[in-house]
Amino acid sequence: MNAAYRCLAEGGFEELRMRDVAGRAGIDHSTIHHHFPTKQALIVAVVDHTTGQSGSTTPPDGSPTDRLRGHLAALRQKINDQPELHVVLRELDLRARRDPELREIIASREEGWRTSLRTLLAEAAAHGAPTAGVDPAAGAELVIAAVKGASLAADRADDVLGLLERLLIQA
C-alpha cells in the first residue's frame, strides 16, 4: 500500500501499475495479488491510508470561532508539511469523477469532515460569532473546495486559507 501511495504521489494514476507497485515494494508481482486481488482493492487501501493521515484537525477546546481558526491553521500546516499527501488526495478526487465506486468511498470518508464543518459553523453563528451570515452547509463546501484548491499550490496555501478565514470570520 505504501508503494502504491508513492507511485500515485510521483506519477499519478498513469504510474499506478500492479507490477510497478510490487517492484517498488520488493515483492513478486503474484504476491501483491494475494494482498490486493484487484487494482481497485489497492486503491481503496490507499484511500484509507491517505484519509487516515488527514485525521481531525479541529481543536477540541475553545469557542467555535477559535476552533474554526485552529482548524484552518492546522490545514495550512498539513498542506505545507505534507504536500505529497495532498497530491495523492487530489489524484484520488480526480479519479473519483470517473469511477463511481471510488467516488462513493471518498464521499463516505469525507462526510465526517463535512459534518464537522457544518456543526462548527452553526455553533459559531449560534454564539453570535461574526461569520457574515454564512450558511453552514455552503460554508462547509467553501472550506473543502478552498482546501482542495490550495493544496494544489502549497506555496499559496497560507494566503488562500488566511483569506478564507478572514471571509468566514469577520472579526
Side-chain angles (χ1 to χ4, degrees):
M1 191 281 312
N2 285 323
Y5 174 88
R6 302 283 328 142
C7 286
L8 278 170
E10 293 170 12
F13 273 94
E14 295 78 24
E15 299 298 318
L16 187 65
R17 294 178 196 89
M18 296 292 270
R19 186 171 301 281
D20 294 341
V21 172
R24 185 179 283 255
I27 60 174
D28 184 73
H29 176 67
S30 60
T31 304
I32 196 168
H33 288 284
H34 175 72
H35 298 285
F36 304 101
T38 65
K39 187 174 180 179
Q40 190 74 2
L42 180 60
I43 292 168
V44 169
V46 172
V47 169
D48 288 340
H49 174 71
T50 55
T51 57
Q53 287 187 56
S54 298
S56 177
T57 55
T58 304
D61 300 318
S63 71
T65 303
D66 291 340
R67 291 173 47 226
L68 181 57
R69 279 191 178 106
H71 178 65
L72 293 172
L75 289 169
R76 283 194 301 266
Q77 192 66 47
K78 279 189 175 279
I79 290 169
N80 288 323
D81 291 349
Q82 298 175 293
E84 178 179 274
L85 170 66
H86 295 278
V87 167
V88 172
L89 286 167
R90 299 304 68 85
E91 283 285 339
L92 292 167
D93 283 340
L94 289 171
R95 173 70 174 235
R97 291 182 53 95
R98 296 178 303 279
D99 182 334
E101 182 182 354
L102 183 58
R103 182 171 46 248
E104 186 176 312
I105 291 165
I106 289 174
S108 72
R109 306 306 192 274
E110 223 172 63
E111 190 53 36
W113 184 24
R114 184 170 277 109
T115 300
S116 173
L117 285 169
R118 273 190 238 127
T119 301
L120 194 53
L121 288 164
E123 287 175 3
H127 286 90
T131 56
V134 172
D135 170 64
E141 296 307 318
L142 177 62
V143 170
I144 291 168
V147 168
K148 287 182 176 190
S151 71
L152 293 172
D155 59 328
R156 299 299 314 245
D158 288 336
D159 295 336
V160 170
L161 296 182
L163 175 59
L164 177 64
E165 179 182 325
R166 290 189 299 279
L167 291 171
L168 287 175
I169 308 167
Q170 298 179 357

